[in-house]
Amino acid sequence: MPEGYVNLSPAWFQQGHEVSVSALVSAYDIRQLTLNEKASDPFPEVGKDLKSAAGSEWLNCMLESNAVLSAILAVIHPALYNAGRHTFNCLRKATEIQPQNVLSRWTSVFNGVAVICNRKTLLHRDGHSRFAWYELLTTFGNYTDCKLELPGLGVTLEYGPGTVVGFSGMLLQHAVPSFKGERVCYAYFMRGSVQKWAKASGYPWMNTNYYEKNTQHGI
């Protein structure tokens, strides 16, 4: 497999209108960003890669897998899952966003995925998200000797094929420094700008009390 990565999204704003909340900007930058926002398209756009024949084939192949990974998010962060569903209900009702057959086949509640092929990942945090939100990483291929490092937690995880990990990629630094073989990672995420567009950005940190309360009520 070739080395590289691509970002796929059924709905996002042009890069010039995306602002990472972790970025440090001057007063002039803020003014320019405000002007850009006013001039920008009021609706997100379907990513160009998903409009292609290869993108359409990928969507068809991923129908079940995307739904299963969304179900995992429903267990580990129900509020974020519900917010993602709300966002996609809004996107599918917005007929201005075309082609709608991309949105209808995107079965994930995440509004983006980075497909990373045969690449080591240096220690980093992810922007364009929120601290309380989870991203979901899943990895597969024919490889060995792979670890996911989370130094802020003092944790190193076995990261073999079929592993799924959910955590706040904006809060926690993470890295995959090495592996042997061929490996692909799907990193699912939510763009803050798209969630804000759908008025779905106000949800809390996930807390273990959620499980305690629902267990007590027999849920």
Side-chain angles (χ1 to χ4, degrees), residues 64-168:
E64 183 176 2
S65 296
N66 280 341
V68 169
L69 291 167
S70 292
I72 292 174
L73 182 67
V75 174
I76 65 176
H77 201 325
L80 187 59
Y81 170 83
N82 290 333
R85 287 195 61 183
H86 168 82
T87 296
F88 272 93
N89 287 337
C90 293
L91 290 168
R92 290 171 182 138
K93 290 176 181 177
T95 56
E96 294 85 354
I97 303 174
Q98 295 294 333
Q100 278 284 323
N101 68 343
V102 170
L103 290 169
S104 65
R105 288 180 293 157
W106 183 273
T107 53
S108 173
V109 295
F110 292 94
N111 51 52
V113 58
V115 183
I116 307 165
C117 184
N118 281 339
R119 295 189 67 170
K120 301 173 185 177
T121 306
L122 300 177
L123 193 64
H124 70 287
R125 292 187 178 93
D126 299 315
H128 303 296
S129 184
R130 298 292 183 270
F131 289 113
W133 300 0
Y134 286 178
E135 63 181 41
L136 207 64
L137 306 182
T138 181
T139 180
F140 55 93
N142 184 17
Y143 66 91
T144 59
D145 299 332
C146 186
K147 311 286 186 183
L148 174 64
E149 296 184 353
L150 300 166
L153 298 178
V155 169
T156 297
L157 302 176
E158 292 288 342
Y159 203 36
T163 303
V164 179
V165 184
F167 64 96
S168 171

Side-chain angles (χ1 to χ4, degrees), residues 1 35 38:
M1 295 182 291
L35 291 174
K38 290 179 180 177

Side-chain angles (χ1 to χ4, degrees), residues 53 59 61 63 79 110 122 124 128 131-132 145 172-177 182 217:
L59 280 170
C61 291
L63 288 170
F110 292 94
L122 300 177
H124 70 287
H128 303 296
F131 289 113
D145 299 332
L172 297 174
Q173 286 187 307
H174 50 288
V176 180
E182 293 199 322
H217 289 85

Side-chain angles (χ1 to χ4, degrees), residues 10 37 45 50 53 83 88 94 99 154-155 160 163 165 169 184 188 191:
E37 184 177 353
E45 298 179 12
L50 291 179
F88 272 93
V155 169
T163 303
V165 184
V184 176
Y188 289 83
R191 290 274 184 176

